[in-house]
């Protein structure tokens, strides 16, 4: 609930003639008694013949009272009130009370305006309600109101002292007046006034002396100001001796600054290019490493395939020899199979491979076969591959087989 709504409600209730003074602080905390009294007064103002329950001591009686008010206003005045907020009886209840209050206030204003119009029609006198011309009076009224408040507070304090002052006043009035004492008092008062007058005259004389001193200081300051202004004009008109050199150095400084900016820009660009080159070199190194790894893997796979083919051919030769030996009846010595390497790959015992893992030139790549020394190399430098050796063994077996068949035919 805003402060504006509470203030409007209190002003409307005062205008409607509510007998009790409503403060802005009455609705800070729940106050059901006040809310019930205001509701009953407003409803009676709206319809004097309405009958409402008066008992609000218990919770049930309060609920019945709020319900009767809400139902009456909904039926008679077509005003919807929130029963929960009214029962809370705090700042939120003011908004509901403001609905009924604004209705009665508008009706009263309408009646007042109609009465004024009828009076103007009857008397022919026009009333001017423009208060813009009385804004000065409003300021004076506020000042007087504040003074009245201050005077009232001081008067209240003085009246509190009246009890003690009354006794003192009675004692003084009961005494007989002594002319000598009165004369002495008058003389003392006169002497005090003379001293005050003398002090005032002395202050006036001092003020005159101070004024003369101030005028002298002002004149001195004016003379200093004029002298400084003349000196300033002289300095402006005279060109310093080092001004030419200053301007020349300033031009040189501008040129040097431009050169500095240009070189700094070039240096930043070159640093950026250097970083790009380093990054590209790093990427190329990584690519070379990947290519080298793939080549090594390919060579390893080729060795595996070659060893597997060699093992299959050896098995085939062994089977043919056994068959020939069975036909001829002559036992033959089984050729020895090469033993597999510890890694599971069959390799010759004396096979050596030469080369490097890094890529070389094209000429080096073409001559890589000359760097490989296999087991079948002769002393004179001739090289025999495994496939050629297998073919020679196979031809020898065929010749032996044919000779065996020829011997068997001769026996028959």
């Amino acid at each position: 609930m805003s402060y504006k709504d509470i203030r409007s409600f209190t002003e409307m209730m005062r205008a409607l003639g509510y007998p009790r003074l409503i403060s802005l602080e009455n609705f800070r905390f729940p106050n059901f008694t006040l809310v019930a009294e205001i509701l009953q007064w407003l409803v009676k103002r709206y319809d004097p013949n309405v009958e409402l329950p008066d008992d609000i001591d218990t919770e049930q009686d309060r609920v019945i009272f709020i319900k009767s008010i809400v139902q009456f206003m909904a039926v008679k005045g077509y005003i919807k009130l929130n029963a929960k907020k009214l029962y809370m009886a705090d700042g939120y209840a003011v908004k509901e009370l403001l609905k009924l209050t604004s209705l009665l206030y508008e009706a009263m204003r309408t009646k007042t305006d109609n009465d004024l119009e009828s009076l103007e029609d009857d008397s022919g006198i026009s009333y001017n309600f423009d208060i813009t011309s009385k804004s000065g009076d409003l300021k004076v009224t506020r000042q007087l109101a504040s003074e009245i408040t201050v005077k009232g507070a001081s008067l209240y304090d003085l009246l509190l002292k009246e009890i003690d002052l009354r006794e003192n006043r009675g004692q003084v009035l009961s005494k007989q007046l002594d002319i000598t004492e009165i004369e002495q008092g008058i003389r003392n008062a006169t002497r005090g006034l003379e001293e005050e007058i003398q002090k005032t005259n002395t202050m006036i004389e001092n003020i005159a002396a101070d004024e003369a001193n101030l005028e002298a200081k002002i004149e001195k300051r004016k003379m200093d100001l004029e002298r400084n202004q003349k000196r300033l004009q002289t300095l402006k008109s005279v060109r310093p001796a080092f001004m030419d050199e200053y301007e020349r150095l300033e031009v040189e400084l501008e040129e040097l600054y431009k050169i500095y900016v240009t070189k700094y820009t070039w240096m930043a660009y070159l640093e950026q290019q250097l970083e790009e080159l380093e990054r590209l070199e790093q990427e190329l190194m990584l690519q070379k490493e990947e290519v080298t790894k793939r080549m090594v893997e390919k060579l390893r796979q080729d060795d595996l395939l070659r060893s597997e083919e060699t093992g299959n051919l050896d098995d085939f030769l062994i089977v043919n020899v056994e068959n020939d030996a069975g036909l001829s009846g002559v036992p033959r010595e089984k050729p020895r199979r090469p033993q597999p390497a510890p890694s599971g790959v069959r390799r010759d015992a004396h096979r050596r491979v030469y080369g490097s893992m890094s890529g070389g030139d094209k000429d080096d790549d073409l001559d890589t076969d000359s760097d490989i020394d296999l087991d079948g190399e002769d002393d004179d430098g001739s090289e025999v591959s495994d496939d050629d050796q297998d073919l020679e063994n196979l031809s020898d077996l065929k010749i032996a087989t044919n000779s065996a068949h020829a011997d068997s035919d001769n026996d028959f």
Side-chain angles (χ1 to χ4, degrees), residues 92-103:
Y92 293 99
V94 178
K95 186 177 289 186
E96 305 299 321
L97 295 172
L98 197 59
K99 297 178 182 179
L100 184 56
T101 308
S102 59
L103 178 64

Side-chain angles (χ1 to χ4, degrees), residues 161-175:
K161 298 177 182 179
E162 176 63 21
I163 299 173
D164 299 332
L165 295 175
R166 186 183 303 165
E167 297 179 358
N168 296 331
R169 188 171 56 252
Q171 292 177 3
V172 171
L173 292 176
S174 61
K175 289 182 180 180

Side-chain angles (χ1 to χ4, degrees), residues 91-262:
Y92 293 99
V94 178
K95 186 177 289 186
E96 305 299 321
L97 295 172
L98 197 59
K99 297 178 182 179
L100 184 56
T101 308
S102 59
L103 178 64
L104 296 175
Y105 183 74
E106 290 295 331
M108 186 188 70
R109 285 184 57 188
T110 304
K111 183 176 181 302
T112 305
D113 294 336
N114 293 332
D115 293 338
L116 291 174
E117 289 177 0
S118 62
L119 289 175
E120 288 177 0
D121 294 334
D122 294 337
S123 60
I125 300 173
S126 61
Y127 296 92
N128 186 12
F129 293 97
D130 188 10
I131 61 172
T132 56
S133 60
K134 297 183 179 180
S135 59
D137 297 341
L138 181 60
K139 188 180 295 184
V140 174
T141 303
R142 289 179 179 175
Q143 185 177 0
L144 291 175
S146 61
E147 290 180 359
I148 288 171
T149 304
V150 174
K151 297 293 183 183
S154 62
L155 180 61
Y156 179 76
D157 294 336
L158 293 174
L159 290 175
L160 290 177
K161 298 177 182 179
E162 176 63 21
I163 299 173
D164 299 332
L165 295 175
R166 186 183 303 165
E167 297 179 358
N168 296 331
R169 188 171 56 252
Q171 292 177 3
V172 171
L173 292 176
S174 61
K175 289 182 180 180
Q176 294 182 357
L177 298 176
D178 190 0
I179 297 174
T180 57
E181 293 179 359
I182 294 172
E183 290 177 356
Q184 187 64 32
I186 293 171
R187 290 192 188 96
N188 294 332
T190 305
R191 192 180 300 110
L193 290 174
E194 289 177 354
E195 290 177 357
E196 291 181 359
I197 292 169
Q198 187 177 359
K199 289 180 181 179
T200 305
N201 293 328
T202 305
M203 291 174 64
I204 292 170
E205 292 176 358
N206 293 333
I207 288 172
D210 294 338
E211 185 178 358
N213 293 329
L214 289 174
E215 288 178 356
K217 290 181 180 179
I218 290 170
E219 291 295 332
K220 185 178 180 181
R221 294 295 182 184
K222 286 182 179 180
M223 292 174 65
D224 293 339
L225 179 61
E226 291 177 358
R227 185 169 59 255
N228 291 328
Q229 286 179 353
K230 290 179 181 179
R231 186 178 179 184
L232 178 61
Q233 295 297 329
T234 304
L235 292 174
K236 287 183 179 179
S237 61
V238 175
R239 184 179 179 83
F242 55 85
M243 196 66 187
D244 296 334
E245 186 179 1
Y246 173 77
E247 292 177 354
R248 181 175 57 79
L249 293 175
E250 188 175 7
V251 173
E252 291 179 0
L253 179 62
E254 289 180 357
E255 294 177 357
L256 291 174
Y257 180 73
K258 290 180 181 178
I259 295 170
Y260 167 74
V261 171
T262 305

Side-chain angles (χ1 to χ4, degrees), residues 6 12 41 127 142 289 315 379 383-384:
I6 297 175
M12 288 181 184
W41 186 84
Y127 296 92
R142 289 179 179 175
E289 290 180 0
D315 293 339
D379 295 336
E383 180 180 355
V384 180

